[in-house]
Amino acid sequence: DMQDPHEIVVIGAGPAGAIAAALLQRRGHQVTIFERQRFPRFSIGESLLAHCLEFVEEAGMMDAVRAAGFQQKNGAAFAWGDRYSAFDFREKFSPGPGMTFQVLRSRFDQVLADEAARQGVRIHYEHEVVAADFDGPRPWLQVRDLKAGADAAPRRVDTRFVLDASGYGRVLARLLDLERPTSLPPRRAIFTHIEDHIDAADFDRQKILISVHPEHEDVWFWTIPFSNGRCSLGVVGAEEKIQPADGDLMGALRRWVEGTPNLRRILARAAWDTPANTIGGYSASVRSLHGQGWALLGNAAEFLDPVFSSGVTIAMHSAKLAAECLHRQLGGETVDWEAAFATPLMRGVQCFRTYVQGWYDGSFRDVVFYEQAQPQIRAMISSILAGYAWDEANPFVAEHERRLRMLAEVCRGGFRDRPLSDKAM
Ligand code: FAD
């Protein structure tokens, strides 16, 4: 449409931006993405949940994702001392896919962005959104072409609606002063990629492995195998524990692994060939997810914690809900974004938050490692671990706080003499 060359502008071409853009383009809208970086680019967040593939499918990108040859993933495994507990997503309570992938995000995000472009979305790489104005009848942005040199003036872009999918860039949260402190304490991760050479028979490449440090119970590791003989490896803990005083990230990561016998054994032959990196203070929140002419997607709004790999799934779920609302609004309907976008999105986010908090206070960790849980209850937990945190038919979603509290009591022996059945909950 020549009248409306930038009907919808999306900031950022990560998973949230690419999915939202494609869903809207497929419904006949004209979508432009401005992406600050050149792709492929590194991103953290390599283990996907099964639920997010529903959005990949709906955006018409499933064949391309399948063809990319990513490592298949069917669940999550947890290890702590000699305790081991694996959840298979295919044995879950909720409907939907039970398989997903572990991905190099540089490649995955490129596949999604290319698929969005193939469907007509215009993506301008190396274009940074630097200012936004929502006070007039129509929103407009200032966009800087990073290839044009430092003294080139930013260009004005008029649009009907802005979806902010800028992730850790948090563009509108900063420009519109929406930041709100998160309820989660500051934590830090140190991570790298290794040539893993894992030959341990008990290591399942189709699952993320979450290992807990034997003494520091709040310190945990992710091991995410890729399809090319490499792994993503990271350690997470309280900021003051994880940040090395001497700045030697690789040394610190290796020491944490050395202190965790099961992980040390699995990684005994690994080649540590890539410098470690670190990210901290990543949990974030905002006062509002939407306003006149804008909405926030994915990490640009809320980020909890990496422990259950929920980031990309929340990002895509938000993209789907926002695309739905925006399509209706641009078609002339009056849309209540609080009721149709923010509230349903946050229901799933709050559910994840309960289990994240339960991981760190120990209650959900006890549940994860409890060996006598009934299959039906494990299936309900598996559903949440697979990303189905919006399925209100699952009692562990619908009443997440109460159900977790009760189940944790059972696992800790509070009902020692009663069978762990759903009725006892
Ligand atoms: P992003 O993928 O961050 O994309 C945002 C894009 O916006 C970027 O490409 C950026 O260049 C662009 N941008 C930023 N500012 C501007 C600007 N001003 N103008 C134009 N473009 C801009 N999630 C999982 O699902 N699984 C995991 O295993 C996992 N592990 C994690 C481990 C750690 C330690 C952390 C901190 C997070 C982890 N996450 C994980 C979360 C995951 O990284 C994010 O949730 C996910 O990348 C969010 O996607 P997004 O599309 O919202 O943003």
Side-chain angles (χ1 to χ4, degrees):
D1 181 355
M2 293 311 290
Q3 301 307 121
D4 228 344
H6 305 293
E7 183 191 11
I8 299 163
V9 167
V10 177
I11 312 175
I19 294 287
L23 290 176
L24 285 157
Q25 191 78 31
R26 291 167 79 82
R27 302 186 83 164
H29 300 283
Q30 201 52 254
V31 188
T32 304
I33 302 182
F34 293 107
E35 164 58 54
R36 181 166 63 181
Q37 289 177 265
R38 187 201 302 215
F39 273 30
R41 55 103 179 85
F42 176 84
S43 173
I44 194 73
E46 296 143 330
S47 193
L48 304 181
L49 302 184
H51 176 45
C52 83
L53 293 190
E54 296 186 292
F55 307 115
V56 172
E57 178 81 57
E58 200 178 327
M61 303 176 177
M62 201 54 219
D63 288 345
V65 166
R66 246 188 238 109
F70 297 120
Q71 172 65 50
Q72 300 239 13
K73 170 182 172 184
N74 62 26
F78 298 84
W80 188 9
D82 50 17
R83 275 177 282 183
Y84 179 85
S85 179
F87 289 84
D88 193 321
F89 294 168
R90 294 164 300 182
E91 294 158 10
K92 62 180 165 41
F93 169 86
S94 304
M99 291 288 292
T100 188
F101 299 102
Q102 292 163 162
V103 302
L104 277 171
R105 284 286 301 279
S106 51
R107 179 92 183 92
F108 180 70
D109 291 13
Q110 172 97 69
V111 169
L112 300 190
D114 287 351
E115 283 300 292
R118 191 180 54 78
Q119 299 180 53
V121 172
R122 278 170 300 180
I123 309 183
H124 300 279
Y125 291 99
E126 296 181 80
H127 279 70
E128 181 178 26
V129 173
V130 293
D133 188 308
F134 297 94
D135 295 337
R138 281 172 67 126
W140 57 275
L141 301 171
Q142 285 196 340
V143 182
R144 188 183 289 283
D145 181 350
L146 299 176
K147 301 183 298 299
D151 37 289
R155 169 159 71 100
R156 175 177 166 144
V157 174
D158 290 86
T159 181
R160 291 184 69 187
F161 204 93
V162 179
L163 292 173
D164 181 7
S166 62
Y168 305 106
R170 305 182 65 71
V171 173
L172 292 190
R174 284 186 294 102
L175 293 175
L176 303 180
D177 198 16
L178 304 169
E179 305 271 10
R180 185 180 69 172
T182 156
S183 58
L184 298 164
R187 299 203 170 87
R188 175 163 292 277
I190 303 177
F191 52 89
T192 190
H193 287 173
I194 53 178
E195 189 77 30
D196 62 71
H197 298 293
I198 297 172
D199 52 14
D202 57 347
F203 185 76
D204 182 352
R205 291 197 83 83
Q206 301 209 42
K207 292 183 175 68
I208 184 175
L209 173 65
I210 302 290
S211 308
V212 181
H213 190 280
E215 289 98 40
H216 300 270
E217 294 182 10
D218 59 327
V219 174
W220 61 271
F221 305 81
W222 76 73
T223 315
I224 302 172
F226 298 127
S227 55
N228 60 357
R230 298 179 64 80
C231 266
S232 173
L233 169 70
V235 62
V236 178
E239 179 79 45
E240 64 279 5
K241 250 187 217 180
I242 296 296
Q243 179 73 59
D246 61 359
D248 176 12
L249 297 173
M250 198 65 156
L253 177 54
R254 296 194 67 150
R255 273 194 306 280
W256 282 113
V257 170
E258 282 301 306
T260 309
N262 187 53
L263 194 55
R264 182 176 67 213
R265 170 183 65 84
I266 289 169
L267 298 180
R269 300 181 57 231
W272 299 66
D273 57 7
T274 308
N277 211 332
T278 186
I279 180 170
Y282 37 69
S283 300
S285 187
V286 285
R287 278 189 287 113
S288 179
L289 293 173
H290 58 89
Q292 188 68 43
W294 57 269
L296 308 182
L297 308 182
N299 263 44
E302 179 96 15
F303 182 70
L304 295 174
D305 188 272
V307 68
F308 302 124
S309 309
S310 56
V312 169
T313 296
I314 292 172
M316 290 189 181
H317 201 110
S318 73
K320 150 80 180 176
L321 290 174
E324 207 71 51
C325 288
L326 186 49
H327 174 65
R328 284 169 41 210
Q329 179 163 311
L330 294 173
E333 270 182 62
T334 303
V335 176
D336 180 346
W337 282 76
E338 194 59 27
F341 172 64
T343 302
L345 176 63
M346 290 312 286
R347 266 207 289 274
V349 173
Q350 298 301 2
C351 173
F352 277 126
R353 182 196 303 277
T354 293
Y355 292 97
V356 165
Q357 274 164 347
W359 174 261
Y360 288 103
D361 73 22
S363 58
F364 189 50
R365 223 171 32 222
D366 290 345
V367 167
V368 162
F369 288 107
Y370 186 65
E371 278 153 17
Q372 283 115 49
Q374 289 210 336
Q376 198 204 353
I377 289 179
R378 281 188 76 87
M380 290 171 178
I381 300 297
S382 189
S383 262
I384 292 161
L385 295 175
Y388 297 93
W390 289 264
D391 176 13
E392 304 269 339
N394 182 351
F396 285 87
V397 170
E399 302 180 287
H400 43 90
E401 281 184 321
R402 196 175 74 86
R403 286 284 176 155
L404 173 59
R405 204 166 49 238
M406 296 179 80
L407 185 54
E409 268 179 52
V410 173
C411 299
R412 285 177 167 171
F415 296 78
R416 204 175 296 279
D417 299 318
R418 289 168 54 186
L420 175 55
S421 72
D422 193 33
K423 282 202 200 74
M425 307 280 98

